[in-house]
Amino acid sequence: MPFLTSVPEACPRRHRLTAALAVVLVASALLAGCSGDDGKLPIPSGAATTTTNANVYEQQRADGVTALLDKLSTALATGDTKTLAGLIDASATPAFRTRLETAAANFGTRPPRATSTTTRSSAPSPSAGPTQSPGPSSTEPDNPGRRGAGGTSTSATPRSTAPKQSGPVSSTPARPMPDDSRGSALRLAKLRYQLVLSDEAETQAPEAITDKLTDQGSSDVWVAPVELHYALGGARAPGVDEPELVVNEQMVVARYEDDWKVVGDATLIGGNAPATMLWELAGLRVDDVPTAGGTSVIASYPGTADTVERARGLLPGAVRAVEAFWGVEWPRKVVVVATGTGRQFTQVSGAPDADGAAAAATVFTGIDADKTVRGQRIVLTPNAQQIPPPALGVVLRHEITHVATRSITSAKAPLWVTEGLAEYVGRKDTYRRLADAAPDLASAVRSGSGPRTLPADADFAVSGPRAGLAYQSAWSLWAFIATRFGEDKLKSLYRKAAAGDAAVADAALSTELKITSGDLVTQWRRWLVKEAG
């Protein structure tokens, strides 16, 4: 239990505080809101208490800030902009104020969605004719401190490798969908800011900040350690009904007589800006889509109505296709986020700016000891707006395969393993010839310059010159394995090969297929020559 030191009421401007630095969201931080051996004690809503040797000053301070956080949580979740305005200090920066106001607006009551006369696009079946599809690409950016979509892993799909529809795309809406068709306001299943007391050294507010607040009547300034507890929800709570996420951050608060106001976040004291949450970007709308495991959610921003319409029709079938291949040992529901600008994509996913090649990225926050995956999001780049339904279906099945296999996939697994399987499932039953699915690869094989080794991780870089060929090669490798050894053996191979690094993958080839990586490449190359011819 933390030990709270007494601070005299007369001490000007600076008081003893307890603080916790914002940390990267990891599974251990998500398991529970109670303290372990780190010495931190969350203060539940409405139940701020002190511990041994606590004093009246510390108790009042904790009670006051807890009451502020309760009001802040309620005002945001209900879209109560009037109450929110009264909780924000006059000295708050415009950026901080806008962030909170935008969140409240996104949660606010919204009029019924306008009825469109445009027919919704229909989702093509997995066998909807041949497509041309060089493969997706993958990146894993270092993204510490993510509050929402996490920075643990991403998988990006290059737009340039998406399959193209031959002939007219009849399922595309006759005219652009109205922006109002994207959905309604977000209803979070849970949103609560919670004070966390600690025996760690206090973070002091800069003297200039303290002086300014004191001059406008504040009697106390605290850099308060806070946890944000949330679960996404949807157009209706509980929506996607995902596991609760917990994020640590700092919040500067100021006292005025018996009331407290929120002044700013860690940037006010020279710290890093908290990562952007979905609801902190203007114009967020969400739509609930029934899928095999329950409610899936499509979140979106202005300018993405057509993408949302296509995804809405494709998503149930994409989830069913992955379920048919992989089984039911995953949630079988997903969160898809359609972004309208490159900046939105970067803020939501934590991945680098989307260039002309990228179509999507899959991110997650962490994996618990029981293999529960938290915070998974499939984030579509603005390029998805130009992708026709058959190609978008491949992208969704590819990314949903990552969602389904995440709990057993090591961050060290070779990309030919992880991206190859996702490509195999994404393209399954969408082609008739090797040249339909992998035109660049087929051309290379016919010219005698086909692959001679397993694809290297570096070749999968989205902006790199070999990304398309790398993905096509990885897809063809798994297509060969399925043809030669069968899909049951293919799935067994993935479960072992994805559990570790390249050495683990090599060992899996030996135990599951009874061949070495060299033998695999030799047999694969012979198959490619036959198929390309």
Side-chain angles (χ1 to χ4, degrees), residues 134-137 158 160-161 440-441 444 449-474:
S137 180
S160 62
T161 65
D440 296 338
L441 176 61
S449 57
R452 298 181 180 278
T453 63
L454 296 173
D457 282 5
D459 293 338
F460 290 85
V462 174
S463 58
R466 296 181 58 82
L469 186 60
Y471 265 94
Q472 292 175 33
S473 297

Side-chain angles (χ1 to χ4, degrees), residues 107-400:
F107 294 137
T109 303
R110 188 166 192 272
R113 185 171 35 178
T115 301
S116 171
T117 58
T118 305
T119 303
R120 285 190 173 187
S121 58
S122 59
S125 67
S127 58
T131 58
Q132 297 179 356
S133 57
S137 180
S138 236
T139 58
E140 298 209 5
D142 181 17
N143 182 33
R146 293 295 303 166
R147 295 200 308 160
T152 313
S153 175
T154 64
S155 168
T157 305
R159 176 187 171 201
S160 62
T161 65
K164 299 176 177 62
Q165 174 81 357
S166 57
V169 183
S170 60
S171 55
T172 299
R175 62 175 182 265
M177 296 294 295
D179 193 67
D180 197 53
S181 69
R182 292 187 293 115
S184 57
L186 173 63
R187 296 287 177 260
L188 285 176
K190 177 176 291 185
L191 174 67
R192 185 180 78 253
Y193 283 99
Q194 181 172 300
L195 180 64
V196 182
L197 296 183
S198 169
D199 56 5
E200 296 178 7
E202 172 192 342
T203 298
Q204 298 285 348
E207 187 172 355
I209 299 296
T210 304
D211 288 348
K212 181 177 182 179
L213 293 169
T214 300
D215 290 343
Q216 67 184 35
S218 173
S219 60
D220 192 0
V221 180
W222 189 1
V223 182
V226 171
E227 287 179 347
L228 169 61
H229 294 242
Y230 74 94
L232 189 60
R236 291 161 295 279
V240 73
D241 197 21
E242 68 178 1
E244 179 181 293
L245 299 170
V246 182
V247 186
N248 294 321
E249 56 186 83
Q250 292 172 306
M251 193 172 287
V252 181
V253 294
R255 182 177 183 175
Y256 298 88
E257 296 183 349
D258 292 333
D259 292 326
W260 288 80
K261 292 182 182 292
V262 59
V263 183
D265 52 35
T267 59
L268 199 62
I269 58 173
N272 294 326
T276 304
M277 307 298 285
L278 289 178
W279 52 86
E280 292 172 349
L281 297 178
L284 174 69
R285 292 293 177 262
V286 297
D287 200 16
D288 295 344
V289 179
T291 51
T295 299
S296 289
V297 171
I298 301 175
S300 63
Y301 298 99
T304 63
D306 287 343
T307 300
V308 171
E309 183 72 359
R310 291 192 296 273
R312 187 185 283 133
L314 291 162
L315 196 54
V319 171
R320 285 196 302 270
V322 176
E323 176 189 34
F325 174 81
W326 192 249
V328 299
E329 295 180 356
W330 59 288
R332 294 174 295 142
K333 54 186 177 180
V334 296
V335 176
V336 177
V337 185
T339 61
T341 68
R343 178 172 173 78
Q344 287 173 352
F345 173 76
T346 297
Q347 288 176 302
V348 172
S349 70
D353 279 342
D355 58 21
T362 299
V363 296
F364 69 103
T365 295
I367 304 176
D368 296 348
D370 64 358
K371 296 299 183 180
T372 298
V373 184
R374 295 180 183 263
Q376 293 211 82
R377 309 282 185 260
I378 297 171
V379 188
L380 301 177
T381 76
N383 299 322
Q385 297 173 55
Q386 282 76 51
I387 300 179
L392 185 59
V394 172
V395 171
L396 288 174
R397 292 191 295 273
H398 174 110
E399 302 299 341
I400 293 170

